[in-house]
Amino acid sequence: MFDDILAAIPFGFILAFTIGPVFFVLLETSATKGFKSALIFDCGVMLADILFIVIAFYSTNRLLEKVKDDPSFLIFGGVLLVTYGIISFVKTSKSFREIVREYHKIEIKKGYGKLFLKGFLLNFINIGVLLGWVAFIVLANSLTESKDGVVVFLSTILIVYFLVDLVKIVIAKKLKNKLTPRLIFKTKKIIALVILGFGILLLVQGFFPNEKKLIEEKLEQINPIN
């Protein structure tokens, strides 16, 4: 069991620093709304991860092949992320005065339920997260010797991931005093564009699966795995 934990720790760090929509929104939430708000948001993210693990754990091989060979999953996830990014950008573009008012409030209504749901949905609509957990489960099966070992491996990844997120939240919170309303406004717009970019990337991969395979094959030729 101890060996399974040690083997999983590096992957928890890798997952925590994977650059995706959740990564940026978590930092922005901590910097603009505080530690508790970011923690609630992250709990929503973790719930989506747990659901993905449960789904992937009981249907690993079949699900992996289906998602891998069906570009419609990528298109679906891309459409959701693009839609979310556009709505966020448009909403932010019209909300500068609201940001200024919120910045100067003594008490700010956090909307913890909405933050939790936002974290859950933002993570859940990203099909890449599901693929990532499927890959981790396949890896766990190859590195461990029992079903219990797989559970320990995945649990360790989740715990390390969450602990590293707490560190990121604390660091981002320290930037709060340096944020002006205009910087917050620009940050929100950049985050919306980042989410939009990830959505477009998924759409491109979904609409051009053959080109994606060619690129992967070329990369394998450049960096062959011995």
Side-chain angles (χ1 to χ4, degrees):
M1 181 179 293
F2 186 68
D3 290 339
D4 297 333
I5 293 174
L6 288 178
I9 289 175
F11 296 103
F13 279 96
I14 291 171
L15 185 62
F17 287 100
T18 299
I19 307 299
V22 168
F23 180 91
F24 293 100
V25 177
L26 177 67
L27 297 182
E28 183 262 343
T29 301
S30 178
T32 59
K33 289 183 170 61
F35 179 87
K36 189 174 181 180
S37 294
L39 180 61
I40 296 296
F41 171 85
D42 201 37
C43 286
V45 173
M46 297 296 293
L47 177 60
D49 280 321
I50 292 171
L51 286 179
F52 276 145
I53 291 173
V54 172
I55 292 170
F57 189 79
Y58 289 104
S59 55
T60 304
N61 294 329
R62 180 167 51 85
L63 184 62
L64 179 60
E65 291 303 318
K66 187 173 182 180
V67 174
K68 188 176 180 181
D69 297 331
D70 190 354
S72 62
F73 281 91
L74 294 174
I75 295 172
F76 177 70
V79 169
L80 291 176
L81 284 179
V82 166
T83 302
Y84 183 89
I86 292 174
I87 292 174
S88 297
F89 185 83
V90 172
K91 185 177 179 181
T92 300
S93 298
K94 297 178 179 179
S95 64
F96 180 69
R97 291 182 180 180
E98 182 181 339
I99 291 173
V100 174
R101 288 197 298 269
E102 184 177 286
Y103 182 82
H104 292 290
K105 280 183 181 179
I106 297 176
E107 293 183 2
I108 301 174
K109 186 178 180 181
K110 304 294 184 179
Y112 294 128
K114 290 183 178 179
L115 282 170
F116 182 87
L117 184 61
K118 180 180 179 181
F120 174 80
L121 292 177
L122 187 58
N123 203 30
F124 193 75
I125 65 175
N126 189 352
I127 193 65
V129 177
L130 175 58
L131 289 172
W133 282 116
V134 171
F136 279 133
I137 290 174
V138 173
L139 182 65
N141 278 295
S142 66
L143 294 178
T144 60
E145 299 179 354
S146 66
K147 190 174 182 179
D148 290 340
V150 173
V151 173
V152 171
F153 186 91
L154 296 174
S155 298
T156 302
I157 290 178
L158 271 178
I159 292 170
V160 173
Y161 174 28
F162 183 70
L163 292 177
V164 175
D165 270 358
L166 292 181
V167 175
K168 291 190 294 186
I169 290 171
V170 171
I171 293 174
K173 186 177 181 296
K174 291 182 179 180
L175 299 175
K176 183 176 181 179
N177 294 331
K178 299 181 181 180
L179 291 177
T180 64
R182 186 162 295 280
L183 185 56
I184 294 172
F185 177 71
K186 290 181 178 179
T187 301
K188 285 178 175 288
K189 291 182 73 173
I190 291 172
I191 290 170
L193 290 174
V194 169
I195 295 172
L196 179 62
F198 279 102
I200 292 174
L201 180 61
L202 287 180
L203 285 175
V204 171
Q205 292 178 348
F207 281 118
F208 303 101
N210 294 330
E211 286 75 4
K212 179 176 176 287
K213 289 181 180 179
L214 287 174
I215 293 174
E216 290 176 349
E217 289 175 359
K218 289 181 179 179
L219 289 175
E220 289 178 358
Q221 292 174 359
I222 296 174
N223 299 302
I225 300 175
N226 295 324

